[in-house]
């Protein structure tokens, strides 16, 4: 019986401490991310700096998949457009050399 009371006391103390720690601002620890705080990539042409500034929300098992998929899709589209533009410019350069 004493062991049960001791276990319940330790458990209750753990719950109380967890609640207190979750409410206190700890130096060096960022604030918790709120759901759907991800603003996405800025409008316009994406450059290296805007990709470096992307901060995705952290979910239970990593990053939010819908946000990661959106960023990767946007980057893939822009890379495809840039590849097409580079190919067009190279073709114009070859045609101009003839």
């Amino acid at each position: 019986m004493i062991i049960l009371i001791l276990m319940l006391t330790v458990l209750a103390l753990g719950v109380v401490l967890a609640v207190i720690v979750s409410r206190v601002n700890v130096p060096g620890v960022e604030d918790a991310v709120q759901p759907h705080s991800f603003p996405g990539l800025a409008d316009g042409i994406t450059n290296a700096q805007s990709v470096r500034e992307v901060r995705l929300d952290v979910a239970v098992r990593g990053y939010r998949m819908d946000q990661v998929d959106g960023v990767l899709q946007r980057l893939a589209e822009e890379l495809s457009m840039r590849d097409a533009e580079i190919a067009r410019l190279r073709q114009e350069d070859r045609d101009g050399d003839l």
Side-chain angles (χ1 to χ4, degrees):
M1 183 69 176
I2 292 178
I3 294 176
L4 179 62
I5 292 172
L6 183 61
M7 288 176 49
L8 290 175
T9 303
V10 169
L11 181 63
L13 183 61
V15 169
V16 169
L17 288 175
V19 169
I20 290 171
V21 168
S22 69
R23 305 269 183 214
V24 175
N25 289 333
V26 180
V29 176
E30 295 182 18
D31 291 336
V33 176
Q34 299 300 319
H36 306 295
S37 64
F38 175 66
L41 288 171
D43 292 336
I45 296 175
T46 303
N47 58 28
Q49 185 61 30
S50 63
V51 173
R52 285 186 197 101
E53 292 172 356
V54 169
R55 295 294 175 259
L56 303 168
D57 294 337
V58 178
V60 175
R61 298 187 311 163
Y63 294 103
R64 293 177 52 101
M65 287 177 27
D66 59 332
Q67 294 174 355
V68 174
D69 290 344
V71 168
L72 292 176
Q73 179 65 32
R74 168 101 179 263
L75 291 172
E77 290 170 2
E78 289 201 24
L79 287 172
S80 294
M81 290 186 333
R82 289 179 187 177
D83 289 345
E85 180 69 11
I86 290 170
R88 184 186 65 78
L89 292 171
R90 286 181 178 163
Q91 185 62 39
E92 285 179 6
D93 190 39
R94 280 189 220 127
D95 292 344
D97 288 343
L98 296 178

